[in-house]
Amino acid sequence: MKIATWNVNSLRVRLPQVVDWLEVHQPDILALQETKLSDEEFPQEAFGDRGYRAVYSGQKTYNGVAILCRQEPQDIVTDLPNLEDPQRRILGIRLGDICLLNLYVPNGSEVGSEKYVYKLDWLARVKDYLQEALAEYPKFIVLGDFNVAPGDGDVHNPEIWHETILCSTPEREALKKILDLGFHDSFRLFGQEGQSFSWWDYRGGAFRRNWGLRIDLILISKALVPKCTGCAIDKEPRCLQRPSDHAPVIATFA
DNA sequence: ATGGTCGTGAAACGA
């Protein structure tokens, strides 16, 4: 089984790349973030024609999440009972005894800003939800654009990024509280090449210089750890013309 | 590195 996540930064623009990528990699599940499409505009046929069911929670211009999968998804969740949020950033499904939560965590703009406070509160509420959900469904996957680099090893230059947005201690603590529920960062279960990132700024030739951060994560519950056989970042789509600023991440399971 | 980039949507704003 292959499960992937990709912040596409506009599914309208990236649709041909996503379709190509699906055909090459054949994941069982692909979680998308920043689709930037209303549900009426979602290109369901492009995926249906290729054997994927699609669920989505979209909005115009900003945010928007979707899940493409081979199996019929059940128990679709777009809003958490403890988190009232007009921004479409959350999409949960159940596939048999496995639950999956796709997140587009708020960016937070700047440490100390109003958006930063919203981000930390948002993460705390997601944590509370996951605590209950995990108790009911021990096989759980939380994946997406977390907009937090878990540690300095996930940052090209920790001195430049020290206590800045995506790397500040409160953001990392909020992420750690989710991990402490019993989740593992699948990427770190395996040996990786030094300096692996999933996002590079469009500006300043950041990708060419490998000035990136690893902020796109696939967290798996303890029950799934023995099943997980690998996790990798696919940098290839980031090399294409008109790329997303994020690369897809894929976890494989026996 | 503090944007010399994108995406959206038609000017700034968000990332």
Side-chain angles (χ1 to χ4, degrees):
Chain A
M1 186 170 64
K2 287 165 96 170
I3 297 178
T5 179
W6 193 3
N7 178 324
V8 291
N9 185 19
S10 169
L11 185 55
R12 184 179 284 112
V13 173
R14 236 63 69 187
L15 182 60
Q17 293 182 23
V18 174
V19 167
D20 285 349
W21 194 85
L22 282 174
E23 292 193 335
V24 170
H25 293 273
Q26 297 284 317
D28 297 277
I29 301 166
L30 174 58
L32 301 173
Q33 305 86 35
E34 283 203 270
T35 56
K36 300 186 178 178
L37 293 173
S38 66
D39 291 346
E40 293 72 32
E41 299 173 297
F42 193 89
Q44 190 153 22
E45 314 74 41
F47 303 119
D49 292 349
R50 290 164 177 85
Y52 285 93
R53 299 160 203 271
V55 290
Y56 34 86
S57 179
Q59 68 184 88
K60 244 167 72 80
T61 313
Y62 299 115
N63 310 312
V65 284
I67 300 174
L68 312 176
C69 54
R70 296 282 194 195
Q71 259 183 279
E72 180 72 36
Q74 298 168 288
D75 299 351
I76 295 159
V77 169
T78 58
D79 293 272
L80 306 188
N82 61 340
L83 175 54
E84 217 163 287
D85 190 356
Q87 301 185 27
R88 303 291 79 195
R89 297 178 173 278
I90 291 177
L91 187 58
I93 60 166
R94 180 174 63 79
L95 298 166
D97 63 346
I98 296 180
C99 271
L100 197 123
L101 193 67
N102 176 18
L103 301 179
Y104 174 46
V105 177
N107 171 284
S109 187
E110 277 181 54
V111 173
S113 68
E114 204 172 299
K115 291 190 172 79
Y116 181 76
V117 174
Y118 160 66
K119 177 182 193 175
L120 294 178
D121 180 62
W122 194 95
L123 282 166
R125 288 167 187 271
V126 168
K127 188 267 289 176
D128 290 341
Y129 169 80
L130 283 169
Q131 184 159 22
E132 287 192 25
L134 185 60
E136 191 171 356
Y137 298 100
K139 294 181 184 175
F140 218 109
I141 298 172
V142 187
L143 77 175
D145 177 359
F146 282 73
N147 267 318
V148 180
D152 280 351
D154 303 304
V155 181
H156 75 275
N157 188 337
E159 287 172 21
I160 286 173
W161 285 87
H162 179 71
E163 294 299 339
T164 62
I165 198 69
L166 314 183
C167 298
S168 74
T169 301
E171 290 167 88
R172 286 176 170 173
E173 281 175 350
L175 172 60
K176 185 165 185 300
K177 282 182 181 171
I178 291 174
L179 290 163
D180 286 347
L181 297 174
F183 289 100
H184 296 258
D185 180 357
S186 60
F187 191 77
R188 292 300 179 205
L189 295 174
F190 306 93
Q192 304 287 353
E193 292 173 28
Q195 301 266 285
S196 301
F197 308 123
S198 66
W199 169 83
W200 302 261
D201 201 306
Y202 282 125
R203 297 163 291 190
F207 182 63
R208 183 170 48 82
R209 298 176 153 106
N210 200 29
W211 288 349
L213 302 178
R214 191 176 67 90
I215 56 178
D216 299 273
L217 310 176
I218 301 177
L219 311 185
I220 62 174
S221 62
K222 192 181 168 192
L224 291 172
V225 169
K227 304 275 186 201
C228 189
T229 53
C231 182
I233 297 164
D234 179 13
K235 286 171 73 169
E236 274 192 31
R238 190 64 176 78
C239 304
L240 298 172
Q241 296 287 326
R242 278 194 102 183
S244 167
D245 45 352
H246 295 252
V249 185
I250 319 174
T252 52
F253 296 83

